[in-house]
Amino acid sequence: MRRILIAFVVLPFVVLSGLLWFGVVRIYRNTTGSMEPTLPMGARFLTILTSRANRGDIVAFVYPLDPQVLFDKRVVAVGGDVVEIRDKRLFVNGNELNERYAVHADTTVYPNNKLLPEPYRSRDHFGPFRVPAGTYFVLGDNRDESSDSRYWGTVPRENIRGRVVLAFSWSRGFWKPY
């Protein structure tokens, strides 16, 4: 019985080590607060290597404006979709999304005014914008504190490094980000 218990404890680490060794998965560290509380700053996350993503996936990607920087954000729209934000509410293809993961800590809603400077102009009102084919529109879950596609554009498919499947930190342990 003791051997079986040890096997069940050791097996996940052996499997993870093998997956890391063969390059099937990668571990990254979240360095910003843009995905809080889903991925707290400092948490590490495990990604399955892929360059494809679906709406709702959290992805790690190379920042389009600086190839030395790796970001993690949520895909909210894919090529061909029309994205619009009205009064902090997200619409994709005309339908409002129920985003249980989105956080708006600032209760202020800036008016839809083209004369406002960024980030105020695009934070609470954006679009409508058609996502180009082969790209993804990404937003941080911490919407009022995120540098994302509203400000610097879409993420090309080739910039995607992986889809987040597991997160962990010393304070919280392991969890599956939703």
Side-chain angles (χ1 to χ4, degrees):
M1 183 67 167
R2 184 175 177 177
R3 289 182 187 180
I4 293 172
L5 182 59
I6 291 172
F8 277 113
V9 170
V10 173
L11 184 63
F13 295 104
V14 171
V15 170
L16 179 58
S17 297
L19 292 172
L20 285 167
W21 178 266
F22 289 108
V24 176
V25 298
R26 275 245 162 86
I27 296 175
Y28 297 105
R29 184 171 175 262
N30 185 26
T31 58
T32 72
S34 69
M35 284 299 293
E36 289 183 332
T38 308
L39 293 175
M41 192 178 329
R44 300 201 188 290
F45 53 90
L46 182 82
T47 62
I48 292 179
L49 298 183
T50 181
S51 63
R52 297 208 175 256
N54 298 310
R55 277 185 228 103
D57 288 346
I58 301 172
V59 294
F61 60 92
V62 174
Y63 177 43
L65 302 181
D66 184 352
Q68 302 301 314
V69 176
L70 189 86
F71 273 175
D72 52 288
K73 306 277 185 216
R74 188 174 302 272
V75 174
V76 298
V78 299
D81 287 344
V82 176
V83 176
E84 187 172 7
I85 297 172
R86 293 183 236 141
D87 295 323
K88 297 189 182 202
R89 296 182 347 258
L90 176 65
F91 295 82
V92 177
N93 300 325
N95 299 311
E96 184 175 3
L97 297 187
N98 177 17
E99 301 181 285
R100 67 182 192 276
Y101 44 77
V103 174
H104 296 281
D106 184 357
T107 57
T108 302
V109 177
Y110 292 100
N112 188 4
N113 185 337
K114 301 285 185 217
L115 299 177
L116 282 173
E118 291 295 7
Y120 310 106
R121 181 175 57 239
S122 300
R123 187 185 84 169
D124 302 332
H125 296 275
F126 179 86
F129 172 78
R130 182 172 300 278
V131 180
T135 69
Y136 300 97
F137 194 91
V138 297
L139 295 174
D141 286 358
N142 186 359
R143 296 288 159 81
D144 297 333
E145 301 293 327
S146 179
S147 172
D148 49 42
S149 289
R150 293 173 289 184
Y151 309 110
W152 40 258
T154 58
V155 177
R157 180 175 289 131
E158 58 270 13
N159 286 34
I160 302 289
R161 293 296 174 255
R163 190 176 74 247
V164 176
V165 294
L166 184 69
F168 52 97
S169 69
W170 289 110
S171 62
R172 193 167 162 186
F174 290 87
W175 70 94
K176 181 175 178 12
Y178 50 87

